[in-house]
């Protein structure tokens, strides 16, 4: 599979190297209701309405009769479409029109109701120009390969298509402008992820900020932070995203880290006058609402954090999906439904929605799909991060008492992570389950987060062999597969499991490698014996599965259309292994050490996409951000990739390239790439 870097670098051969960024208007795409049943057919019988949610009072866009009825009519493939449509009338008129529908409601009546009472989704937002956009930011000087530099410059240019602001002329404020909307209006400019994600999102913004910093768009970073600070002022926490239906949950808390990156890159410490008190406010919200006291086997009690959303209804943006999960094939009772809805919302708060990582642990790995979610009982490795340590650094000598308080809190958190989440035998971090009072055995990309957070187990600092053992799973992926590191090694069909990989995980794996001192990473990487594969270099039990249970690597499709897979055991399973490097892993250099070699290989390696909860989105913001960061940090070792025959690819949206890479865009994929953003949302490691 091609990576985000590789895929578009290859297309450079087709002539986009000279493409320039331009500001283009972004039109609102309004979905049209479509029906499979006949318009005159009656809607199916509904389960009882869920309770009203105190945090979401709208009678249109929150749990209630309107939201349930419209979603069960299934007028749009994506539930979020209806939740993002502002009304075209005052809310009381909309509700009156709904009540006038006959008791035996038909599909056609719901179509008429939606078309008569609602406008295009996203009308409350408008595309803006980037006044301070630089065509040639300094980071491009770090990139030596001409094709990769051309690609990086093109990706840099796509910020101009993802910049948004609140459209004051279309804003709905409590019906005073004749309509109601689910949007949380923001006062400052922001970058959207793209596609169906048409508002600002919380944890996505960290990697967007990384890219904006490389693009020297410091004013947009500042505006992003100001929006989050406004939300902290208004709500006491930062919600998942910029819609009222997100007001019961947050996302991985990365505001403090964004703040630190901005201050370091821009030198602007004046923002701290407003930001530091609000950073404290966010930490207090997490302390009050998401902390839990956990006692370890050594009878030491630690304060750690878990995702735990109060919610007893389907999520408005995924209403029908959640409703079906709770009611089909058999209907859960009210208590069970409420618990499931809380788990679904908590899973969304993690950002990893969804993965078997959050399922109730079972001896044989069996589960009941999303009904097995156990998020609230899980102490997630990646949630317990470095916010206190960073905040202590931001205070510096200006407030020694506050700095000392946060250093103590960081030390306490570190102790808890190492005591409860670290396995010194398997050399891996695992989530902890409060219910079973034990570490889970499922291995995931979250394993790399603690090193990124500065929590480095002493075993890794004292032994090069153990340090390599910690990263041996990454070495396995780079040698055995064609892509980057998967979320998990379990191919469950869920979006945050194999074979899918995600840009933030590659960033964090690279940062984890950079966190280790050179004295333990400068030696040569170990190699498997003649009859073994790189799986045999992984500490026993670390992955929680046998080699034969690993996902297989598709190699090619034969003349009869049959997919030919790689072997599952032995040295021949390392299909990407080369002398001193891996396929599409860049060029080895003498004496670079295994730590630098893994960084070079991962930075060069390709990403691709398949499956998931929604289709691949054009212009996903965090992919852009990670691409620009990788280009800046590793530009000197990025090389032109091996390319598939792209010129044979049809110029249509969601085109398959090289057995799985999707280049999403408009017309003319092979050409100038004008108006086409081909970095992607979710990728594959195979």
């Amino acid at each position: 599979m091609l990576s985000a870097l590789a895929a578009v670098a290859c297309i450079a051969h087709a002539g986009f190297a000279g493409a320039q960024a331009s500001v283009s208007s972004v039109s609102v795409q309004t979905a049209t209701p479509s029906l499979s049943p006949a318009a005159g057919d009656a809607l199916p019988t509904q389960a009882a309405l869920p309770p009203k949610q105190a945090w979401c009072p709208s009678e249109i866009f929150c749990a209630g009769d309107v939201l349930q009825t419209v979603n069960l009519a299934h007028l749009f493939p994506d539930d979020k479409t209806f939740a993002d449509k502002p009304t075209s009338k005052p809310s009381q008129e909309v509700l009156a029109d709904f009540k006038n529908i006959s008791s035996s409601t038909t599909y056609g009546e719901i179509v008429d109701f939606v078309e008569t009472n609602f406008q295009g989704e996203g009308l409350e937002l408008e595309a803006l120009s980037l006044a301070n956009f630089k065509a040639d930011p300094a980071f491009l000087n770090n990139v030596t390969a001409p094709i990769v530099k051309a690609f990086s410059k093109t990706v840099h240019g796509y910020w101009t298509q993802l910049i948004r602001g609140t459209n004051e002329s279309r804003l709905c404020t409590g019906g005073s402008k004749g309509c109601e909307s689910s949007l949380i209006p923001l006062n400052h400019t922001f970058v959207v992820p793209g596609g169906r994600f048409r508002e600002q999102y919380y944890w996505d913004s960290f990697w967007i900020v990384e890219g904006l910093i490389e693009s020297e768009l410091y004013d947009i970073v500042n505006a992003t932070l100001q929006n989050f600070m406004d939300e902290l002022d208004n709500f006491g926490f930062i919600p998942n995203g910029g819609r009222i239906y997100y007001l019961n949950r947050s996302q991985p808390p990365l505001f403090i880290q964004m703040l630190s990156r901005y201050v370091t890159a821009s030198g602007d410490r004046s923002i701290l006058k407003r930001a530091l008190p609000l950073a404290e406010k966010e930490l207090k919200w997490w302390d009050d609402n998401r902390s839990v006291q956990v006692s370890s086997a050594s009878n030491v009690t630690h304060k750690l954090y878990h995702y735990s959303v109060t919610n007893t209804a389907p999520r408005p943006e995924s209403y029908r999906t959640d409703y079906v999960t709770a009611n089909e094939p058999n209907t859960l009772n009210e208590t069970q439904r409420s618990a499931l809805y809380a788990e679904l919302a908590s899973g969304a708060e993690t950002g990893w929605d969804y993965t078997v990582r959050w399922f109730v642990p079972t001896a044989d790995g069996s589960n009941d799909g999303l009904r097995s979610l156990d998020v609230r009982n899980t102490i997630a490795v990646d949630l317990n991060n470095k916010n206190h340590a960073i905040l202590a650094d931001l205070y510096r000598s200006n407030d020694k008492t506050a700095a000392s308080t946060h250093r103590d809190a960081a030390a306490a958190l570190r102790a808890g992570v190492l005591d409860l989440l670290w396995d010194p035998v398997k050399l891996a971090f695992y989530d902890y389950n409060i219910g079973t009072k034990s570490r889970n055995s499922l291995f995931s990309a979250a394993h790399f987060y603690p090193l990124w957070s500065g929590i480095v187990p002493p075993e890794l600092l004292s032994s090069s062999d153990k340090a390599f053992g910690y990263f041996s799973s990454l070495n396995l992926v780079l040698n055995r597969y064609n892509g980057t590191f998967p979320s998990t090694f379990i191919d469950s069909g869920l979006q945050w499991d194999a074979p899918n990989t995600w840009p933030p995980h590659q960033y964090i794996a690279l940062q984890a490698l950079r966190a280790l001192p050179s004295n333990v990473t400068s030696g040569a990487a170990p190699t498997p014996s003649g009859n073994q594969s790189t799986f045999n270099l992984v500490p026993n039990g670390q992955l929680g599965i046998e080699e034969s249970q690993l996902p297989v690597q598709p190699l090619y499709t034969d003349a009869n259309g049959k997919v030919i897979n790689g072997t599952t055991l032995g040295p021949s399973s390392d299909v990407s292994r080369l002398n001193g490097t891996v396929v599409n892993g860049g060029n080895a250099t003498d004496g670079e050490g295994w730590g630098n070699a893994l960084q070079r290989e991962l930075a060069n390696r390709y990403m691709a996409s398949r499956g998931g909860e929604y289709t691949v989105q054009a212009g996903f913001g965090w992919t852009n951000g990670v691409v620009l960061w990788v280009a800046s940090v590793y530009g000197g070792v990025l090389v032109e990739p091996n390319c598939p025959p792209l010129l044979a690819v049809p110029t249509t949206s969601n085109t398959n390239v090289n057995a799985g890479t999707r280049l999403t865009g408009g017309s003319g994929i092979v050409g100038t790439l004008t108006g086409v953003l081909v970095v992607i949302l979710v990728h594959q490691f195979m």
Side-chain angles (χ1 to χ4, degrees), residues 73 92 116 122 130 297 300 303 339 342 356 365 373 398 423 503 582 605 676:
Q92 292 307 310
T116 303
L130 280 172
V300 177
K303 181 176 75 173
V356 295
L373 286 171
N398 296 328
D423 189 320
V582 295
R605 181 52 71 82
V676 180

Side-chain angles (χ1 to χ4, degrees), residues 1-4 473-486 499-502 506 553-554 575-576 582-585 601-609 658 661 683-686:
M1 301 297 176
L2 288 181
S3 68
S473 59
L474 175 58
N475 181 64
L476 176 151
V477 167
L478 293 168
N479 282 273
R480 193 180 187 101
Y481 300 105
N482 288 342
T484 53
F485 203 85
N500 294 337
T501 83
W502 295 81
Q506 316 319 310
Q553 170 64 60
V575 297
S576 290
V582 295
V583 172
N584 278 317
E601 291 166 355
L602 181 56
N604 273 279
R605 181 52 71 82
Y606 29 88
M607 309 173 191
S609 70
N658 194 27
T661 303
H683 318 280
Q684 282 185 312
F685 78 117
M686 298 191 295

